[in-house]
Amino acid sequence: MKTNPRRNPLGIAFVGGRTDRADHIRSNEDLLAAQYTPAARLLRLSGLDPVISAEGNLEWGSLADAADDAELVFLGLRDGRACFAPVPAAGSTAPANPALWQAMATLDGDELATYGAARAMVDWHARHRFCARCGQPTRLAKGGWQRNCTAETCRAEHFPRVDPVTIMLVEHDDRLLLGRQPRFPAGSYSALAGFVEPGEAIEEAVAREVLEEAGVVVRDVSYVGSQPWPFPSSLMIGCHAYADHPALTIDHTELEDARWFSRAEVEDAVQAIERGEGGQAFRSPPRTAVANALLRWWVER
Amino acid sequence: MKTNPRRNPLGIAFVGGRTDRADHIRSNEDLLAAQYTPAARLLRLSGLDPVISAEGNLEWGSLADAADDAELVFLGLRDGRACFAPVPAAGSTAPANPALWQAMATLDGDELATYGAARAMVDWHARHRFCARCGQPTRLAKGGWQRNCTAETCRAEHFPRVDPVTIMLVEHDDRLLLGRQPRFPAGSYSALAGFVEPGEAIEEAVAREVLEEAGVVVRDVSYVGSQPWPFPSSLMIGCHAYADHPALTIDHTELEDARWFSRAEVEDAVQAIERGEGGQAFRSPPRTAVANALLRWWVER
């Protein structure tokens, strides 16, 4: 995955797309209607997965490739051309499969960001065909940036969902606290993470998650960087915090293990994963994960 | 509104609540069931609005005050006692009314945060009684931190929604770019803001919004602070960015006006609003808004 240092200084995957979302078009019925032309491009998807060419690029077709009754999301303009993505029959039910990760590793930063945005959008549509307020069917509107309830008595408007998640490096005595979930590959450890809940600031969510999962009190939470994560549609908010006391009380319903790793161990792991290998002490998350960027940021700081 | 400087250094409203969300209780059926006792407290609400005592505090009753068929959200523990809030018949349809703002100004930081979290939660439940995937009824689960579809063929799980919003101070030549929407009180200007969309990092959303609304290109976006905003449930992500060129192209579908204000003008406005007055050049957002905290942060920096 190649990223653009100017658009994306921390080299975070799914960041740095060049698609112009063209809000002035999608919020204007006439301008939007004028985009459905033979010159418009349709992102090729297999369900929610990308179709990757032999050269390692996203494949695009034309609107003629879409089924007659397909719902289409207007992604915006790329090189001046309108781009759409088709809503599949079913939304996501499981995390992305390993073959998808492999395919995505070949995309450059712009294409990965384009795919991620498209996937999050079409997946949201596939999982929101009914109105949460009244139960009646909803219909795609504003080029896919809205769904409207079709019931005359309701007419609720629904908007694509983005779930903020905090993910944090906790530091004590030049060591980092990392944990592993049972579903992780063998030897893998990553930053602790959790959804921001209603009524919480980012800093409060960080403190609560670390206390819940590892029994550690943190201070001086700071923001490092963010990532849109399209499985299904999170905003990963990467943070750093300090702990004064390293004793751990692990919540084993959430984590299989959590441990403190030295700077040398972290440095070794992020270098090893570039070769597709585990490190001496643990296996780093891959480049696609924001946790990888956070670990590289900490090592290089 | 009094805030706790240790929990909330920028003095951001709705931050710094002392309620223990007690995840270990809400995720354990037996522990949760044991919380519905005569000692448990029920937040008194009038629809979605708080009921404020003559002393300016939130009013609490007991679970006996709830209707027999009321859905209750477990807010967590306060002073060791289980606290709940009742889901009203209808969710929010309009922004908060002026009387509510007045009442909220009397609450201290902890109580305002407690009310905000409760309001966002019960409002979400009131607006999500049906399954967005299949249209069938949903039922409150895990003390209100989840809703489950009741249809055997679906069984989708739904989680409270939090919408990340960027709100940003754009700086050029020691001046700040502020804008006003037609619905603002006369003379009021505030920081530009907009929802983070699927596929966007925080920094990308900031850049897109400022370009869309004011035609200004920004650089060096940095994070300042965040606020949970319960109307209905946003996570306000406060940022700062620089602009090299001050020329404005205002999107009048979004903004009535946007202008650059000098440091002296901003300082005057944030001092004036403490007396409930407008400043010489513009009226500042009130203490309850994160934009007020951002302006104070910039003046004091």
Side-chain angles (χ1 to χ4, degrees):
Chain A
M1 190 195 81
K2 267 178 279 176
T3 58
N4 178 327
R6 193 178 59 79
R7 286 173 170 267
N8 186 5
L10 295 180
I12 298 175
F14 297 104
V15 174
R18 289 187 297 100
T19 305
D20 171 4
R21 288 164 181 251
D23 180 65
H24 67 288
I25 291 177
R26 66 198 196 200
S27 58
N28 179 311
E29 261 182 58
D30 295 333
L31 285 179
L32 182 62
Q35 306 303 315
Y36 298 77
T37 70
R41 302 171 84 195
L42 182 72
L43 183 65
R44 288 193 62 196
L45 294 174
S46 168
L48 291 168
D49 291 345
V51 178
I52 311 271
S53 71
E55 296 76 33
N57 297 116
L58 292 176
E59 285 204 359
W60 298 84
S62 77
L63 298 189
D65 302 333
D68 284 346
D69 61 347
E71 291 187 316
L72 300 181
V73 172
F74 174 65
L75 302 175
L77 303 176
R78 288 173 66 81
D79 303 320
R81 288 170 76 182
C83 293
F84 292 84
V87 178
S92 61
T93 51
N97 56 54
L100 171 57
W101 292 116
Q102 202 89 34
M104 288 191 307
T106 72
L107 296 175
D108 73 10
D110 167 42
E111 288 204 317
L112 187 57
T114 299
Y115 166 67
R119 177 185 172 114
M121 288 293 289
V122 300
D123 188 11
W124 177 77
H125 281 282
R127 292 180 291 111
H128 290 77
R129 291 199 162 97
F130 295 87
C131 176
R133 190 161 85 180
C134 79
Q136 295 306 301
T138 56
R139 186 184 293 139
L140 181 147
K142 297 203 174 171
W145 296 85
Q146 192 170 318
R147 291 189 79 85
N148 295 336
C149 180
T150 56
E152 286 207 10
T153 50
C154 179
R155 294 288 189 225
E157 298 179 342
H158 301 278
F159 301 92
R161 178 169 172 147
V162 173
D163 295 309
V165 173
T166 52
I167 178 163
M168 41 273 176
L169 299 182
V170 179
E171 177 171 347
H172 172 79
D173 193 20
D174 210 35
R175 292 182 300 162
L176 282 190
L177 176 62
L178 304 176
R180 61 171 278 111
Q181 296 173 25
R183 64 175 179 81
F184 284 8
S188 288
Y189 282 75
S190 187
L192 305 189
F195 288 97
V196 179
E197 297 183 349
E200 283 185 325
I202 290 170
E203 295 77 4
E204 294 176 313
V206 167
R208 177 184 51 75
E209 285 289 344
V210 178
L211 189 61
E212 276 176 16
E213 297 193 359
V216 170
V217 174
V218 299
R219 60 173 168 82
D220 296 334
V221 178
S222 60
Y223 169 82
V224 178
S226 64
Q227 177 194 50
W229 182 246
F231 308 103
S233 186
S234 295
L235 174 66
M236 306 300 295
I237 303 174
C239 295
H240 174 274
Y242 289 98
D244 289 323
H245 303 289
L248 301 178
T249 306
I250 298 170
D251 175 1
H252 285 287
T253 63
E254 295 279 341
L255 294 178
E256 187 177 279
D257 189 27
R259 289 169 46 197
W260 296 96
F261 292 96
S262 72
R263 184 170 292 271
E265 287 172 330
V266 172
E267 190 162 5
D268 170 64
V270 295
Q271 287 171 356
I273 201 69
E274 294 294 308
R275 306 185 299 269
E277 296 168 13
Q280 299 279 327
F282 74 101
R283 187 181 185 87
S284 161
R287 272 269 176 172
T288 35
V290 70
N292 177 287
L294 295 176
L295 293 178
R296 285 186 286 109
W297 165 84
W298 187 72
V299 164
E300 289 160 22
R301 196 164 63 135
Chain B
M1 190 195 82
K2 269 177 278 177
T3 56
N4 179 328
R6 193 178 59 77
R7 286 172 170 271
N8 186 5
L10 295 180
I12 298 176
F14 297 105
V15 174
R18 288 187 296 100
T19 305
D20 172 3
R21 289 165 180 250
D23 180 66
H24 67 289
I25 292 177
R26 66 197 195 200
S27 58
N28 179 312
E29 260 183 57
D30 296 335
L31 285 179
L32 181 63
Q35 306 303 315
Y36 296 78
T37 69
R41 302 170 84 195
L42 183 72
L43 183 65
R44 288 193 61 197
L45 293 174
S46 168
L48 290 168
D49 291 345
V51 177
I52 310 272
S53 71
E55 295 77 34
N57 297 115
L58 292 175
E59 285 203 359
W60 297 83
S62 77
L63 299 189
D65 302 333
D68 284 347
D69 60 348
E71 290 187 316
L72 301 180
V73 172
F74 174 64
L75 302 176
L77 304 175
R78 289 174 65 81
D79 303 321
R81 289 170 74 182
C83 293
F84 293 85
V87 178
S92 61
T93 51
N97 56 54
L100 171 58
W101 291 117
Q102 202 89 36
M104 289 191 306
T106 72
L107 297 175
D108 73 11
D110 167 43
E111 288 204 317
L112 187 57
T114 299
Y115 166 67
R119 179 185 172 114
M121 286 293 291
V122 300
D123 189 11
W124 177 77
H125 282 282
R127 291 180 292 112
H128 290 78
R129 291 200 162 96
F130 295 87
C131 176
R133 190 160 85 180
C134 79
Q136 295 305 300
T138 56
R139 186 184 292 139
L140 181 147
K142 298 204 172 168
W145 296 85
Q146 192 170 317
R147 290 189 79 86
N148 294 334
C149 180
T150 56
E152 286 205 13
T153 50
C154 178
R155 294 289 188 225
E157 298 179 342
H158 301 279
F159 300 92
R161 178 169 171 147
V162 173
D163 295 310
V165 173
T166 52
I167 178 164
M168 42 273 177
L169 299 182
V170 179
E171 178 171 347
H172 172 80
D173 194 20
D174 210 35
R175 292 182 300 160
L176 283 189
L177 175 63
L178 304 176
R180 60 171 279 111
Q181 297 173 24
R183 64 175 179 82
F184 284 8
S188 287
Y189 282 75
S190 187
L192 305 190
F195 289 96
V196 179
E197 297 183 348
E200 283 185 325
I202 289 170
E203 295 77 4
E204 294 176 313
V206 167
R208 176 184 52 75
E209 285 289 344
V210 178
L211 189 62
E212 276 175 16
E213 296 192 358
V216 170
V217 174
V218 299
R219 61 173 167 82
D220 296 334
V221 178
S222 60
Y223 169 83
V224 178
S226 63
Q227 177 194 49
W229 181 246
F231 308 105
S233 186
S234 294
L235 174 66
M236 306 300 295
I237 303 174
C239 295
H240 174 275
Y242 289 98
D244 289 323
H245 304 288
L248 301 179
T249 306
I250 298 170
D251 174 2
H252 285 287
T253 63
E254 295 278 341
L255 294 177
E256 188 178 280
D257 189 27
R259 289 169 46 196
W260 296 96
F261 293 96
S262 72
R263 184 170 291 272
E265 289 171 331
V266 173
E267 189 161 6
D268 170 64
V270 296
Q271 286 170 357
I273 201 70
E274 294 294 307
R275 307 183 301 269
E277 296 168 13
Q280 300 278 329
F282 73 103
R283 187 180 186 86
S284 162
R287 273 270 178 173
T288 35
V290 70
N292 177 287
L294 295 177
L295 293 177
R296 286 186 286 109
W297 165 83
W298 187 73
V299 164
E300 291 161 19
R301 195 164 63 137

